[in-house]
Amino acid sequence: MSDWTLRQARYFLAVVDHGSVSAAAREEHLSQGALSMAVAQLESALGVQLLVRGRARPATPTAAGLRFADRLRPILDLADEAGAAARGPDGDPTADLTGELVVGASMTLSPRVFPPLLEALRDRHPRLRTRIAELTPGDLEDRVLTGEVDVGFCYHRQLTRDLAVHRIGEVSLHAVLPADHPLAGRRGVTVTELAGLPVILPALSPTTRLLTTLLEQHGPAPDVRWTSVNQETVRAMVGRGLGFTLVSTVPGTAETFDGRRVAYVPLVGAEHRNALVAVTDPRRRPTRAVTETVAVMRGLPSSP
């Protein structure tokens, strides 16, 4: 069997990750012909077909291609580590991170995570390419386990799968109320005091179920009037006095999308605490980029 190169392997993974030769070529700053030739040379060296190609269909990895890609990723990560150790000052393991990193977050958490994290990674590791994925908690878990997301961020109570969990910090629930509500000026509020008020919840599983169960444990069945996948929609509805909601992420402003104001009041009770966590596939050794991303997130001022 003839030799194959790391460059050919990277181009093959680019096709797998981006779904087509054209998209991979754009990402790698190559012509489609050059990238296709490199992948064909890789297949010839290995003696197997890695991709199914067609004019009217995306490039799809074969069974052999999927097996190869799964084994190939840690090899390329180790190659990056070796190069960084050679180039970095005193062998700094985080110096000169390169390649691509896919970061996921649950949709309720992404505004808190992505802006400061991506800014920090851009400033510290300008050669590291990042892609983001805003997902439901269930989809986030699935994509971490399939390798489509390298590291995901969510709340610990949202987890339902057996993932490697890296704790970032504690968070606590807040009741979001209209700014002129009698409870809005309080330093804390109990679930019992909120009983009977209309509720507006995020339409995301398992978040809706978890919050509904919490309310049911401390009073009568909650009057859930509406649900929405958009946090700004929920806040704007609260601002108009249509109900209250519960959140673990408090934004930097109390002003709603349409210019009204809401108040964030801590929910009293230790049982309402949660944790912001990073999750990775427990079957795979975290790459340097993943380890650095978790460390950066822990050190951000906006982290809990």
Side-chain angles (χ1 to χ4, degrees), residues 65-83:
L66 289 173
R67 292 194 300 270
F68 183 60
D70 189 55
R71 296 294 183 91
L72 185 60
R73 293 182 193 278
I75 294 172
L76 294 182
D77 290 335
L78 287 172
D80 286 340
E81 289 184 22

Side-chain angles (χ1 to χ4, degrees), residues 170-183:
E170 282 197 347
V171 296
S172 57
L173 276 176
H174 286 65
V176 188
L177 296 158
D180 58 357
H181 193 277
L183 296 174

Side-chain angles (χ1 to χ4, degrees), residues 70 144-147 149-150 162-164 166 279-286:
D70 189 55
V144 167
L145 289 172
T146 60
V149 168
D150 297 307
D162 186 17
L163 298 172
H166 315 268
V279 292
T280 56
D281 188 339
R283 300 165 299 181
R284 295 184 175 92
R285 171 174 167 264

Side-chain angles (χ1 to χ4, degrees), residues 10 76-77 79-84 87 93-102 121 124-130 150 287-290:
R10 290 187 194 280
L76 294 182
D77 290 335
D80 286 340
E81 289 184 22
R87 294 189 299 269
T94 64
D96 201 26
L97 286 176
T98 60
E100 182 176 86
L101 179 75
V102 182
L121 290 175
R124 299 181 195 192
H125 305 289
R127 297 182 62 197
L128 178 67
R129 300 190 303 275
T130 54
D150 297 307
T287 65
R288 288 188 313 118
V290 167

Side-chain angles (χ1 to χ4, degrees), residues 27 32 50 72 83 94 115 117 147-148 197 269 278:
E27 185 67 23
Q32 291 187 42
L50 299 175
L72 185 60
T94 64
L117 177 62
E148 296 172 81
L197 299 177

Side-chain angles (χ1 to χ4, degrees), residues 203-215:
L204 297 171
S205 178
T207 303
T208 307
R209 174 179 53 80
L210 291 171
L211 294 178
T212 301
T213 300
L214 171 66
L215 295 171

Side-chain angles (χ1 to χ4, degrees), residues 229-272:
V229 296
N230 191 309
Q231 291 186 89
E232 284 302 316
T233 300
V234 173
R235 289 208 319 150
M237 293 170 74
V238 171
R240 289 177 177 268
L242 297 174
F244 78 95
T245 192
L246 299 172
V247 299
S248 293
T249 298
V250 178
T253 178
E255 187 169 314
T256 67
F257 183 82
D258 52 359
R260 289 170 169 77
R261 298 187 68 79
V262 295
Y264 293 84
V265 184
L267 209 58
V268 177
E271 70 273 19
H272 306 319

Side-chain angles (χ1 to χ4, degrees), residues 151-162:
V151 58
F153 292 92
C154 62
Y155 295 116
H156 192 268
R157 290 178 184 264
Q158 293 176 324
L159 294 176
T160 62
R161 308 287 291 276
D162 186 17

